Amino acid sequence: MKLYYTKGTCSFGPHIAMRELGIEPEMIPVNLMEKKLPGGGDFKGHNPKGYVPYIETDDGTGLSECGVILQYLADQYPEKGLIPAAGTSERYKVQDWLSFIGSELHKNLPPMFLPNIPEDYRPVARARLEVRLNYMNEELEGKHYLMGDRFTVADCYATAILNWTKPAKYDLSAHPNVQAYYERCCARDSVVAANAAEEAAAA
Ligand SMILES: N[C@@H](CCC(=O)N[C@@H](CS)C(=O)NCC(=O)O)C(=O)O
């Protein structure tokens, strides 16, 4: 299984899921600015969309959307319990979270810290994010993870995205359940291992 990734991006979500599932990925770093692979190869020759994450499975399937990659990975190892069975209401609830993270968190956090964003848009993104995190904070009341006691691929994705609260200088203490949840996710062996692997590859 090949994981095309860039350190510090959303590709960390699928990377966490792989570590949870015991998959040792072949990790291929992507230079996102130049769309280049190590050795100068053209990343868009693999993923024409030019963004990470991108995975190539052993049967040659290529997948390029976080929420789909995460479901694909978890479905390969149903016994690991990283996602409920397809067709169940729990599965739709995980998909609900994946979609929320993808459209409401993933796309509202980067405008707070990326360069080349009009300065007057930054507070707009911040205000939108705050509303979304208020919702998440309420949902996490009394829960360990987004689905309750069970860690799922939605938590893998959320961890990768909440990492950006650091460069965004967004103080999570205003959302104490989210803050405790994020710290709980970061302490998992899978997250520690994925971090270590990306650090080692960058060294
Ligand atoms: N629709 C994709 C978006 C992935 C995405 O935004 N990737 C960012 C990194 S977090 C990226 O590679 N950006 C570079 C680009 O868009 O050219 C998904 O949900 O997985």
Side-chain angles (χ1 to χ4, degrees):
M1 174 95 62
K2 291 182 181 164
L3 171 64
Y4 294 79
Y5 77 102
T6 303
K7 191 169 177 298
T9 72
C10 57
S11 55
F12 195 56
H15 191 179
I16 297 170
M18 288 181 176
R19 302 282 163 187
E20 286 280 340
L21 295 166
I23 301 169
E24 183 68 48
E26 183 183 340
M27 291 173 55
I28 303 173
V30 178
N31 178 331
L32 275 183
M33 297 297 285
E34 296 174 7
K35 312 296 178 199
K36 293 285 185 208
L37 299 174
D42 178 20
F43 174 50
K44 289 175 100 174
H46 296 264
N47 178 12
K49 293 171 178 169
Y51 53 63
V52 293
Y54 181 67
I55 66 164
E56 277 167 3
T57 68
D58 294 342
D59 69 6
T61 305
L63 297 172
S64 60
E65 297 293 328
C66 245
V68 173
I69 292 171
L70 287 164
Q71 293 184 68
Y72 171 84
L73 292 172
D75 278 336
Q76 304 312 300
Y77 300 88
E79 72 283 2
K80 301 273 186 181
L82 215 52
I83 200 162
T88 61
S89 54
E90 289 81 10
R91 175 63 167 248
Y92 287 111
K93 190 65 192 165
V94 169
Q95 289 172 320
D96 200 75
W97 276 117
L98 289 172
S99 187
F100 171 83
I101 296 161
S103 55
E104 305 301 331
L105 302 185
H106 189 160
K107 294 301 167 186
N108 277 321
L109 256 159
M112 290 170 60
F113 62 89
L114 287 179
N116 304 325
I117 299 288
E119 281 306 319
D120 58 355
Y121 185 67
R122 295 191 198 276
V124 176
R126 185 181 189 85
R128 287 177 69 86
L129 182 73
E130 193 162 6
V131 172
R132 305 303 182 245
L133 289 179
N134 281 340
Y135 163 76
M136 204 170 167
N137 197 63
E138 282 169 23
E139 285 291 310
L140 281 166
E141 182 65 40
K143 291 184 192 162
H144 272 76
Y145 298 111
L146 294 172
M147 290 295 291
D149 288 338
R150 178 176 177 179
F151 183 87
T152 69
V153 286
D155 303 302
C156 299
Y157 195 5
T159 305
I161 300 307
L162 289 173
N163 274 343
W164 294 338
T165 55
K166 290 170 194 156
K169 297 187 174 35
Y170 188 97
D171 183 4
L172 274 180
S173 64
H175 315 281
N177 293 333
V178 178
Q179 185 172 40
Y181 159 75
Y182 174 58
E183 287 168 5
R184 194 174 297 123
C185 290
C186 287
R188 288 181 75 85
D189 289 348
S190 59
V191 179
V192 173
N195 251 323
E198 295 195 13
E199 287 289 340

